Amino acid sequence: MLSLEKLENVRRTAGKITARCPACHEAGGDRTGNHLVYWPANERFACAARPGDKLHRQRIWQLSGVPADRPPVPPRRAAVVRLRANAATAGFRESLSAAARREAGRIFSHDWNLADIGEQSPILLDGSEPDWHALLVLLHPPEAMIWIGAPHESGPGHECHFQTWRAWMESYPQGPPRAMTCPDQFFPGVCSRSAANIAASPYLVVEADEAIGRKPVTAADRAENIRRNLCIHRWLKEDLRWPLHALVHTGGKSCHAWFQRPPEADIDDLKAIAPALGIDSSVFTPAHPVRLPGVAHEGTGGRSRLLYLAPR
């Protein structure tokens, strides 16, 4: 539990308490004094500015937590405890979503300029090799089976769409044969881009096709949607400390960020936050197709390109 005596700006509402986040305050933040949300009934707490950041929560506990000895749960009560825990988790996710809606303005006000992204890229992208080669080589081991194709090219008869990156590059030295790949790696000999055929999922690719709250229609809409995509990716990278490995401008209305796949609990947090920021729910689907850099966008004619690359 948290000690209310150690917290500042404490305010009680139905079932929860808001206060100044001690971890944010320690770093010079939370001037409004409302980042911390605490549910005394189940002793859960979260920071609205750093949802999903376990190290941040640990620091909150270090600054304001009170250790408590709890008696063991009797076996006959285990089912009831699980039900209560599930209800508490649901409430926690809803609170995260509400916090994200409140923080959206701040997140979308921190632009990440294209010039800054290029300078911060650990790998210099000087055009000496095709973008799609660089992406596959640095993000996947040589023996990994990688799917490249159109979204419908999966299933019996499509075995040729699953190859190692070395085989892909030898067969297509000038450019990728199709526009799409996916962040997952597959078992040898498969023909279908299905969850059962995934050998490893080292990355989570985040995109937000409707970060402006609707489908972008005009050129101005697309530009604003891309700007907001970059704000989201910067927030995940800098505030939530998710390791970023690649950033691909699709040539259309969004940018795809390849993050090292976080723990499932953090992914669950992002699922709760996603609607408030316009993040596509499809990013949580296994083997979700994403655009390769170096191909023309069928809608706009713009060419997708690699903006940022860090080795695995």
Side-chain angles (χ1 to χ4, degrees):
M1 61 182 295
L2 299 182
S3 170
L4 299 185
E5 295 179 356
K6 297 180 181 179
L7 298 176
E8 299 179 357
N9 204 30
V10 175
R11 295 188 296 276
R12 297 176 182 270
T13 56
K16 68 178 181 181
I17 292 172
T18 60
R20 176 173 284 112
C21 173
C24 288
H25 183 59
E26 181 183 49
D30 196 5
R31 297 180 181 178
T32 56
N34 61 357
H35 285 186
L36 181 67
V37 184
Y38 175 42
W39 296 268
N42 53 42
E43 300 181 8
R44 298 290 298 272
F45 61 89
C47 175
R50 302 287 288 272
D53 189 332
K54 293 184 178 180
L55 293 178
H56 194 70
R57 287 201 293 267
Q58 288 175 4
R59 187 54 183 160
I60 294 173
W61 172 256
Q62 292 168 356
L63 293 171
S64 59
V66 178
D69 295 328
R70 299 183 182 180
V73 178
R76 64 181 181 276
R77 297 282 295 164
V80 175
V81 170
R82 282 197 300 272
L83 289 173
R84 288 180 177 173
N86 290 339
T89 299
F92 178 67
R93 302 298 181 209
E94 175 56 34
S95 297
L96 278 181
S97 179
R101 290 192 293 271
R102 292 194 300 271
E103 285 294 305
R106 182 187 69 83
I107 293 170
F108 290 139
S109 68
H110 290 178
D111 288 354
W112 199 12
N113 298 320
L114 294 179
D116 294 335
I117 294 172
E119 291 179 358
Q120 294 170 18
S121 176
I123 301 299
L124 178 63
L125 302 171
D126 57 2
S128 57
E129 66 175 317
D131 281 357
W132 74 290
H133 284 193
L135 180 77
L136 298 184
V137 169
L138 283 178
L139 298 194
H140 297 289
E143 70 280 3
M145 298 299 294
I146 301 163
W147 173 83
I148 294 179
H152 67 277
E153 291 175 321
S154 173
H158 293 291
E159 292 83 357
C160 63
H161 292 280
F162 297 84
Q163 302 183 41
T164 65
W165 57 252
R166 190 181 306 279
W168 280 119
M169 290 189 297
E170 290 175 353
S171 300
Y172 301 93
Q174 301 303 317
R178 295 288 191 274
M180 298 289 187
T181 186
C182 67
D184 304 289
Q185 300 161 5
F186 296 88
F187 292 113
V190 303
C191 66
S192 175
R193 199 185 69 249
S194 64
N197 292 334
I198 294 175
S201 297
Y203 307 106
L204 180 71
V205 178
V206 178
E207 58 179 301
D209 281 349
E210 298 186 8
I212 61 174
R214 64 182 188 281
K215 183 178 180 179
V217 177
T218 65
D221 285 347
R222 290 193 292 271
E224 175 62 13
N225 203 70
I226 289 172
R227 187 192 72 81
R228 292 194 179 204
N229 269 243
L230 294 176
C231 289
I232 292 170
H233 302 330
R234 183 179 188 178
W235 175 67
L236 291 170
K237 177 180 180 290
E238 296 181 0
D239 286 20
L240 270 59
R241 311 291 176 86
W242 284 19
L244 177 65
H245 287 280
L247 192 60
V248 178
H249 190 301
T250 64
K253 57 183 177 294
S254 64
C255 288
H256 296 175
W258 291 58
F259 289 99
Q260 178 179 310
R261 189 175 183 85
E264 290 304 313
D266 290 353
I267 293 178
D268 287 342
D269 287 348
L270 186 63
K271 288 178 182 178
I273 293 167
L277 301 180
I279 296 174
D280 294 4
S281 59
S282 59
V283 307
F284 306 110
T285 303
H288 172 59
V290 297
R291 193 168 295 275
L292 276 169
V295 296
H297 193 283
E298 62 277 2
T300 66
R303 185 165 293 275
S304 58
R305 64 187 190 276
L306 194 56
L307 303 178
Y308 178 103
L309 186 63
R312 56 188 167 86

